[in-house]
Amino acid sequence: MHARFLSAPSPASAAPSPYVRLAFTGALPRRACWKPRGPASASAPPPRPLHSLCARASMQPASPAHDGHGGPPVHGVSNTVIGVLGGGQLGKMLCHAASQMGIRIVILDPLPGCPASSVCDEHVIGSFNDGDTVREFAKRCGVLTVEIEHVDAATLEKLEKQGVDCEPKASTITIIQDKYRQKKHFSRYEIPLPDFMEVDTLRSIEEAGEKFGYPLMVKSKRLAYDGRGNAVAKNKEELSSVVASLGGFERGLYVERWTPFVKELSVIVARSRDNSTVCYPVVETVHKENICHVVEAPADVSNKIKKLATSVAEKAIKSLEGAGVFAVELFLTEDDQILLNEVAPRPHNSGHHTIESCYTSQYEQHIRAILGLPLGDPSMKAPAAIMYNILGEDEGEAGFFLAHQLISRALTIPGTSVHWYAKPEMRKQRKMGHITIVGPSKISVKSRLDNLLQRNSSDPKEVSPRVAIIMGSQSDLPVMKDAERVLKEFDIPCELTIVSAHRTPERMYDYAKSAKDRGFEVIIAGAGGAAHLPGMVASLTPLPVIGVPIKTSTLSGFDSLLSIVQMPKGIPVATVAIGIAENAGLLAARILAARDPELQDRVTKYQDDLRDMVLETAERLEDQGPEEFLKGMD
């Protein structure tokens, strides 16, 4: 058996790498090649001998070593060497996460210049679909994992029986590799799915069309990803051509009932070796030509939908075996159902944003999970994030030029991080990198994405309002419009409407209960006589409510002020002076500015302008004297 063995340059060394990259001839080796790279110069140190690497690897299960119970002392986070089957961009980001914790990663990939090759500890050039190569590779590792599911699952199963630690388990990889088998597995656990059935003849697929109707989704069982292996038959007449486009029935096909979804969602679920799980916030994925193009975090759906999506995802992963990070892709239907689309047993495109936006990235989480370390906090540390895939827009150098232009613009935009995968070849629609934008709100990150893509910002009418301004009747509008004016000065989108606590109680109830799910962050409620609206709304929503007492002809607004202020314990309502809705707008701006640096700067400038105005007035008074000053005010 042959193998080539590549050692990555030591990150601790400032000197150039003593190893040269081997030229790739285009033919992938059938077996791994273990020859060390030659030194770049006569003075360069020789590569480490093969036996020294083997000595540093561990074949022990990846349970924490203990220096008081006969195990080797642990220097740092873990002594365990992680072996990764695959060296693509996911493997590259796994290596980055491992490097931060001082954990060694060895990768197996057939391409000498694969993305992970420049950042891993060692790169073994060989096929992860070759049983002999995978067996030899496993001897170097304390735990074996994958960054691509299209690996030799049969060999992994044999290795597990021989005591090799594989995470996730070979049984899980086997299920996920065959999408029809995956669907059958999840249906046994009562996971909600689109209707599906196997087809192996023209008659059987015609029967499926009669049963499910058209359009009909036709899928390959194996080796289908990024839209490849999927086709849609719009009618019975298209069935033959669709089957042929997928390689014929001998390829292995099944069909699904067409799902008229309104959104595609994804949940990253991490499970440790002790079967404990944590779930990342639900995200929305937007696809371009069946390839994930944009990920928005968190998803703009109700809390009810978020809980349902998380529940379905967690239940699905608990039905599988092994530790690691799993991505669960879901459909949200028009009638608010959540249906499982498919599962990936590894870090996923829909979790790239977690590197910048979450306390623990999905890559660090995967490492923690497979090593049996405590799982990290999956919650977001940034209020909003968008991930944009850099897809090849053209072939070759023309495509690289367009990508470089996009990256150059990204580097000028606040909150933006660029991840370039360094793939040697550019092809149309190939994933070449991604850009993550984090910011204080969905509106902010979407606006920055518009700037990045040099497109006009969304229509203001379509921008989700952050503040709701409500009042009991149209007679309150002359006062409440001042709150709207102030919010517009701060570029804070708002909605102004009439919601009466007494005349339309059902509307008030529905409005208050749905406010948070609609994206509102603050509610300003104006009320005159009785002034029940602010308090009633505050009792129905977790959002901060600011009451504006409005002057009436009877008690001059004092009844409104006292009604708003004298709320029972547990139902707080802020308030401002009678009839001064401008202060309510300013208070709402300050509340939002607490986690929005850009807005905070505008609020600070507003205060500075007020100070400067007072100082300027004081200076004129001192210069002119009171009589002359008062004449100027006439």
Side-chain angles (χ1 to χ4, degrees):
M1 169 179 179
H2 288 286
R4 267 190 296 179
F5 164 64
L6 302 183
S7 292
S10 169
S13 173
S17 169
Y19 303 112
V20 295
R21 180 171 293 176
L22 293 173
F24 180 50
T25 61
L28 302 183
R30 294 184 60 192
R31 298 292 175 88
C33 179
W34 300 81
K35 295 177 181 178
R37 289 182 285 185
S41 66
S43 61
R48 283 177 288 176
L50 187 61
H51 64 80
S52 69
L53 173 64
C54 296
R56 293 175 66 186
S58 169
M59 285 296 293
Q60 297 299 318
S63 55
H66 196 289
D67 57 8
H69 294 279
V74 178
H75 294 172
V77 178
S78 175
N79 289 344
T80 304
V81 176
I82 298 174
V84 181
L85 300 183
Q89 61 263 27
L90 302 180
K92 181 174 187 175
M93 287 178 272
L94 275 173
C95 290
H96 280 306
S99 176
Q100 285 185 308
M101 296 188 285
I103 294 171
R104 298 184 61 240
I105 284 191
V106 186
I107 64 167
L108 175 64
D109 194 276
L111 297 176
C114 67
S117 64
S118 62
V119 291
C120 64
D121 287 277
E122 285 92 23
H123 174 195
V124 176
I125 300 179
S127 172
F128 39 72
N129 278 308
D130 180 80
D132 291 340
T133 300
V134 173
R135 275 190 292 273
E136 285 298 314
F137 179 75
K139 294 176 182 178
R140 303 175 163 271
C141 315
V143 60
L144 203 59
T145 192
V146 300
E147 65 105 53
I148 182 171
E149 56 266 37
H150 304 301
V151 298
D152 186 353
T155 294
L156 294 182
E157 186 175 3
K158 292 176 183 176
L159 288 172
E160 285 180 352
K161 291 177 180 177
Q162 297 168 10
V164 174
D165 189 6
C166 300
E167 302 293 346
K169 298 304 179 187
S171 61
T172 293
I173 303 296
T174 301
I175 290 168
I176 299 301
Q177 283 180 337
D178 187 316
K179 292 191 175 182
Y180 176 68
R181 184 171 182 174
Q182 184 183 146
K183 290 288 195 297
K184 287 181 66 178
H185 170 85
F186 289 130
S187 67
R188 287 196 293 270
Y189 287 87
E190 300 182 343
I191 308 296
L193 302 162
D195 294 330
F196 67 98
M197 63 182 288
E198 187 177 24
V199 291
D200 53 10
T201 64
L202 184 58
R203 179 58 194 149
S204 66
I205 198 170
E206 288 175 348
E207 290 175 351
E210 294 168 5
K211 182 178 180 180
F212 295 155
Y214 295 91
L216 185 67
M217 178 62 76
V218 187
K219 293 186 174 184
S220 300
K221 292 180 178 179
R222 300 177 67 85
L223 298 176
Y225 61 96
D226 282 348
R228 301 177 182 89
N230 300 341
V232 178
K234 297 177 183 176
N235 50 54
K236 180 179 179 180
E237 290 68 33
E238 290 187 358
L239 289 175
S240 295
S241 60
V242 165
V243 169
S245 71
L246 295 175
F249 291 108
E250 59 272 18
R251 170 81 181 270
L253 304 177
Y254 75 102
V255 298
E256 290 182 5
R257 185 190 298 274
W258 181 262
T259 303
F261 59 84
V262 294
K263 289 179 185 288
E264 292 183 82
L265 306 176
S266 179
V267 180
I268 301 293
V269 182
R271 182 172 60 192
S272 193
R273 299 171 73 93
D274 63 1
N275 291 322
S276 61
T277 59
V278 296
C279 297
Y280 283 79
V282 182
V283 301
E284 180 180 354
T285 59
V286 180
H287 291 72
K288 177 181 179 182
E289 298 182 23
N290 295 313
I291 300 175
C292 182
H293 192 47
V294 173
V295 174
E296 297 183 10
D300 188 13
V301 295
S302 68
N303 280 336
K304 177 184 175 183
I305 294 300
K306 289 176 182 176
K307 289 178 182 177
L308 181 57
T310 301
S311 174
V312 169
E314 194 168 26
K315 185 177 180 182
I317 298 313
K318 286 183 176 179
S319 74
L320 300 170
E321 293 185 305
V325 158
F326 303 79
V328 184
E329 297 181 73
L330 306 159
F331 294 131
L332 171 62
T333 66
E334 294 173 339
D335 56 352
D336 283 352
Q337 289 188 68
I338 290 291
L339 302 179
L340 186 147
N341 179 23
E342 58 187 55
V343 170
R346 51 170 172 77
H348 190 257
N349 203 153
S350 63
H352 286 343
H353 70 93
T354 61
I355 297 174
E356 284 81 26
S357 71
C358 294
Y359 289 102
T360 307
S361 77
Q362 66 165 342
Y363 300 99
E364 179 184 333
Q365 198 77 281
H366 188 76
I367 291 167
R368 286 175 177 240
I370 65 176
L371 292 179
L373 300 170
L375 295 179
D377 182 359
S379 59
M380 294 184 66
K381 60 185 178 183
I386 279 185
M387 189 285 305
Y388 178 83
N389 265 333
I390 304 175
L391 304 178
E393 296 291 339
D394 205 341
E395 304 288 331
E397 288 302 318
F400 279 117
F401 176 74
L402 292 172
H404 177 71
Q405 285 186 314
L406 181 70
I407 291 170
S408 297
R409 291 197 299 273
L411 295 175
T412 68
I413 296 174
T416 299
S417 299
V418 174
H419 295 260
W420 183 249
Y421 304 151
K423 294 181 179 179
E425 295 180 29
M426 171 70 75
R427 298 193 297 269
K428 281 189 176 181
Q429 295 303 102
R430 190 183 193 191
K431 293 175 182 175
M432 302 300 295
H434 75 266
I435 295 168
T436 301
I437 306 172
V438 297
S441 67
K442 274 289 187 66
I443 295 170
S444 174
V445 294
K446 286 183 176 181
S447 175
R448 293 173 187 179
L449 180 62
D450 287 337
N451 291 336
L452 171 65
L453 301 180
Q454 295 183 322
R455 63 191 184 193
N456 293 329
S457 296
S458 303
D459 186 335
K461 295 180 181 178
E462 298 178 359
V463 173
S464 299
R466 302 178 68 182
V467 178
I469 304 173
I470 58 177
M471 64 202 81
S473 69
Q474 68 273 18
S475 62
D476 302 334
L477 183 57
V479 172
M480 298 305 293
K481 64 179 176 55
D482 288 341
E484 181 189 42
R485 174 182 54 78
V486 168
L487 291 171
K488 285 183 176 179
E489 287 180 14
F490 286 101
D491 294 325
I492 299 172
C494 61
E495 175 180 278
L496 190 147
T497 189
I498 296 172
V499 178
S500 173
H502 303 117
R503 291 178 287 273
T504 57
E506 296 87 357
R507 172 173 165 78
M508 178 203 67
Y509 180 89
D510 292 340
Y511 195 94
K513 293 292 285 185
S514 65
K516 183 177 184 298
D517 290 336
R518 289 180 57 204
F520 289 116
E521 298 171 72
V522 182
I523 298 175
I524 299 174
H532 291 148
L533 182 61
M536 292 297 295
V537 169
S539 71
L540 295 168
T541 179
L543 299 177
V545 176
I546 305 168
V548 180
I550 295 176
K551 186 175 182 179
T552 58
S553 58
T554 52
L555 296 173
S556 298
F558 285 102
D559 57 334
S560 303
L561 175 63
L562 294 175
S563 179
I564 294 171
V565 170
Q566 295 297 329
M567 288 299 297
K569 290 182 180 179
I571 314 294
V573 180
T575 190
V576 294
I578 297 170
I580 304 183
E582 179 177 348
N583 274 355
L586 289 170
L587 181 55
R590 289 188 177 195
I591 291 172
L592 298 176
R595 57 189 182 94
D596 186 335
E598 293 179 2
L599 181 55
Q600 199 168 74
D601 289 343
R602 294 199 293 273
V603 170
T604 301
K605 182 180 184 302
Y606 180 91
Q607 290 180 295
D608 291 344
D609 289 345
L610 284 179
R611 179 202 61 202
D612 293 343
M613 183 177 66
V614 172
L615 293 177
E616 180 184 341
T617 302
E619 186 177 353
R620 280 197 296 115
L621 174 60
E622 293 167 2
D623 290 343
Q624 298 174 4
E627 293 183 4
E628 191 68 26
F629 181 84
L630 290 173
K631 288 180 182 178
M633 294 179 61
D634 293 337

